[in-house]
Amino acid sequence: MKKIVECVPNFSEGRNQATIDAIAAAIRDTPGCRLLDVDAGKSTNRTVYTFVGDPETVIEGALAAARVARELIDMRRHHGEHPRFGALDVCPFIPVTGVTMEECVTIAERFAERAATELQVPFYLYEAAARQDYRRALPDLRQGEYEGLPERLRDPRWRPDYGPAEFDPRWGITATGARMFLIAYNVNILGTANQAHRIALNLREAGRGEGQPGRLAKVKGMGWFVDEYHLAQVTVNLTDYRVTPIHVLFEEVKKEAALLGVGVTGSEVVGIVPLEALLLAANYYIEQEGLFVYEEEQKIRLAVERLGLNAVAPFKPRERIIEYIVAEPPEEPLASLSVRSFIEEIAARSSAPGGGSTSAAMAAMGVGLGAMVAKLTYGVRRFDAVQDQMKRAIPVLHDLTGRLIPMIDADTSAFNDYMDGLRLPKNTDEERRIRQAALEEGLKTAIRVPLTTMRLGDAAWEMLIEVARFGNPASRSDVQVGARALETGIWGAYQNVVINMEGIKDEEYRRQTLAEAGVLLQRAQHKCQEVLAIVDTRR
């Protein structure tokens, strides 16, 4: 799995476009770094950059940006709404894929050490990288902000983790560390900064101070007025969006605003947001409003609409959801072919793609036909009596169709793994042992893929029976073809399991796998006949 780390440096400059652009260019021009977002705020006088790369390149990107800030930002002239204490105020590293939190701690330490040495500026470590508990939370580190640094740095308890302990009036100090994905989120208030701050105090975890906690855990927040929007905002950091999701914060702000007699007009995400956070919001509104929405794209659209994420600027999912941004095109050379090209590829003088890929394609088409009939039945007035059945069937069949398609290419890839094993040398006992182990592992992979096809196909039968029983009878031939195609796809996958099992020496593995495959095959035969019998009774 490719290692991807997110870095979200916050610089104390949101008004000088030349400086903002120069920092962005430094990140963008770092080989291996991908700049995802630049979010500048004039009122806060702060710009949040979001970029990704592997563990090595994110360090280089952060260093490149820090070099520009060292040259162009002077904290002696900085004023803004947001708390701050350094030119590069914070620089967190966040694990995205294939990376642990511990690795991100190491990345933060390496970045701090290199930047402190090269730029001669001080660094604190915070969050997961903190070496003392009292330095873990950013608000504790920032207490007194930039103006309080001369006195604070004289206190031995607040010596920097890296770099000189003397106050640098031009730079201030930087906090770097590792943390989970933090969502910077603002809810728009048609009121004053004071009213927004009152709401934030009631909701944020710290509340109004000792003995007066707020209602929502893992929330840091305050209120301010944004001149360019001519709006007040409850501005929060959701430090664990699974504990307090976006939609929960939004709905709680609406309740608090209603008590004050002020309006809420949408919200905004600052920077990038995880897909899961918006899906959680979508599922909440689907349940609350009794909606039927099953496609991911429509769920995202619903969440954006209900949260008012387009209120101050267009929210473009492909540019704001991190999974969409970093996603690489799936390696599906067969599934991406036209139908003609796919058939011609099967017919070519080569052993792959063969029966396994064809079986997966047939199973996918069989399930897809069931999904089609269910969708054609749903929403039609004369089928109002069976809408509940279609609402149960559609998400299952839609999802399984999508999960079966990648099995077309997976089967060919598994076969190629086995062929790679055949090419290994076999001149010595050790080479023969290694080759045999590789061949057996290749065969197990070649078995696992068609067995997965069988399992996925098997999961479709109950809903396909529902479609046969309640779906539009004018589409009965589609249901019949779907059942036969699914049965044949499962039968073909079974044959691939059996033929690849011949080279397996592991007797326990053979017994368990063939037993499971046999059950799935028999169920396919029985369920197919059940579907066909139901359709016959509806002629």
Side-chain angles (χ1 to χ4, degrees), residues 438-485:
L439 287 173
E440 179 135 345
E441 188 55 38
L443 285 173
K444 286 184 177 180
T445 301
I447 290 166
R448 191 158 49 243
V449 172
L451 186 61
T452 301
T453 297
M454 295 182 75
R455 290 167 176 164
L456 292 172
D458 181 73
W461 283 120
E462 297 307 322
M463 291 301 105
L464 189 57
I465 289 170
E466 288 283 281
V467 174
R469 184 172 288 121
F470 300 108
N472 187 341
S475 299
R476 62 179 178 270
S477 64
D478 298 305
V479 178
Q480 290 169 319
V481 173
R484 283 293 191 192

Side-chain angles (χ1 to χ4, degrees), residues 328-345:
E328 296 180 356
E331 295 183 8
E332 296 181 349
L334 296 175
S336 300
L337 294 173
S338 66
V339 175
R340 174 182 292 275
S341 297
F342 179 57
I343 295 172
E344 288 174 346
E345 192 70 24

Side-chain angles (χ1 to χ4, degrees), residues 19 31 33 49 76 120 129 139 145 150 154 194 202 221 303 312 358 386 389 407 436 472 483 485 487:
T19 298
C33 286
Y49 298 81
R76 291 171 294 187
Q120 281 299 291
E145 295 191 44
R154 287 194 290 269
N194 181 269
N202 290 340
V312 294
T358 303
V386 298
Q389 289 86 346
M407 306 312 296
Q436 181 56 42
N472 187 341
E487 180 199 24

Side-chain angles (χ1 to χ4, degrees), residues 93 300 394:
F93 296 90
I300 297 303
I394 289 171

